[in-house]
């Protein structure tokens, strides 16, 4: 783990409550947190915006907690109460970015004829959005890679948000256990594709092939098709 990530972990302090997105059937349960006040939510949004801006300019190394605090106009101690480390902050930033993507995707739903085609189109659109901000994408993916057990709530939120995006594309409100298993494999493949592309080991064309291939699992778990 880079020295910066270690330093942030040493400086970690208890995090203040944050809002939690709706859970999905396979998410890990965590104690409910009190909702943030309007002022706290506005402060949290400024922090996430500052994190994304710094990461967009210089990647993981550019996100320094003191600079995030200054840019978002909060005290450094306050920042650590919201996010105990840079890894916590960047994983939360990824969840926030996915939430924004989801809103955009809902305004213009995928046009594929099958659930597999719609999910593949959705994930490629999300991938291309990250492709436009490669430094930010790299910072967020590196944070996910560095995340330890203490970051589990934030990592779970990223997983839940990705799941919701996929289920929306599938048009499912009540997925079967087999369908949820397929969604998990699709999530793993999508995140892996991000890593291999960011490291220069896969082209966009290869990423598209891999995503389209894994999305065929959806057809295999469709109860109607099996009937």
């Amino acid at each position: 783990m880079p020295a910066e990530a270690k330093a942030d972990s040493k400086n970690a302090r208890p995090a203040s409550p944050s809002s939690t997105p709706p859970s999905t059937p396979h998410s890990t349960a965590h104690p409910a947190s009190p909702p943030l006040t309007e002022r706290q939510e506005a402060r949290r949004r400024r922090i996430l915006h500052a994190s994304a801006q710094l990461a967009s300019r210089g990647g993981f190394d550019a996100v320094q907690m003191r600079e995030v605090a200054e840019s978002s106009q909060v005290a450094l101690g306050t920042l650590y109460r919201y996010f105990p480390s840079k890894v916590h902050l960047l994983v939360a930033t990824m969840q926030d970015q996915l939430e924004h993507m989801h809103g955009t995707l809902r305004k213009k739903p995928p046009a594929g004829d099958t659930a597999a085609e719609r999910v593949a189109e959705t994930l490629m659109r999300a991938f291309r959005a990250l492709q436009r901000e490669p430094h930010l994408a790299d910072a967020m993916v590196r944070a996910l890679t560095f995340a330890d057990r203490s970051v589990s709530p934030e990592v779970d939120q990223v997983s839940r948000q990705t799941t919701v995006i996929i289920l929306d594309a599938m048009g499912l409100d009540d997925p079967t256990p087999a369908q949820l298993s397929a969604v998990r494999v699709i999530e793993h493949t999508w995140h892996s594709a991000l890593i291999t592309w960011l490291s220069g080991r896969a082209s966009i064309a290869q990423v598209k092939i891999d995503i389209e291939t894994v999305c065929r699992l959806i057809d295999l778990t469709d109860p109607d098709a099996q009937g």
Side-chain angles (χ1 to χ4, degrees), residues 79-182:
L79 172 59
Y80 276 112
R81 285 197 294 274
Y82 279 81
F83 302 103
S85 73
K86 179 165 76 172
V87 171
H88 286 79
L89 173 57
L90 281 169
V91 174
T93 300
M94 184 165 193
Q95 191 277 332
D96 188 59
Q97 293 292 311
L98 287 171
E99 190 175 329
H100 283 296
M101 285 182 202
H102 192 198
T104 301
L105 290 165
R106 278 179 162 171
K107 292 176 183 176
K108 188 179 179 182
D113 292 330
T114 68
E117 290 174 352
R118 292 193 299 273
V119 172
E121 180 187 335
T122 293
L123 292 180
M124 282 309 299
R125 283 168 61 184
F127 187 90
R128 290 189 182 99
L130 292 171
Q131 184 188 5
R132 290 191 289 271
E133 295 281 1
H135 291 306
L136 173 59
D138 182 65
M140 295 187 300
V141 170
R142 285 179 65 182
L144 278 175
T145 304
F146 297 147
D148 58 20
R149 194 174 298 238
S150 72
V151 198
S152 290
E154 289 80 7
V155 172
D156 285 347
Q157 287 188 14
V158 169
S159 179
R160 286 197 291 272
Q161 187 64 56
T162 309
T163 297
V164 169
I165 289 172
I166 293 172
L167 291 177
D168 263 13
M170 291 172 68
L172 284 182
D173 293 322
D174 188 23
T176 66
Q179 287 171 323
L180 282 175
S181 292

Side-chain angles (χ1 to χ4, degrees), residues 19-47:
S19 55
T20 305
S23 61
T24 54
H26 72 274
S27 63
T28 303
H30 294 284
S33 300
L36 297 179
T37 65
E38 186 175 337
R39 184 176 179 182
Q40 288 172 329
E41 183 59 35
R43 185 182 296 130
R44 185 175 185 275
R45 296 227 58 79
R46 292 202 309 273
I47 291 170

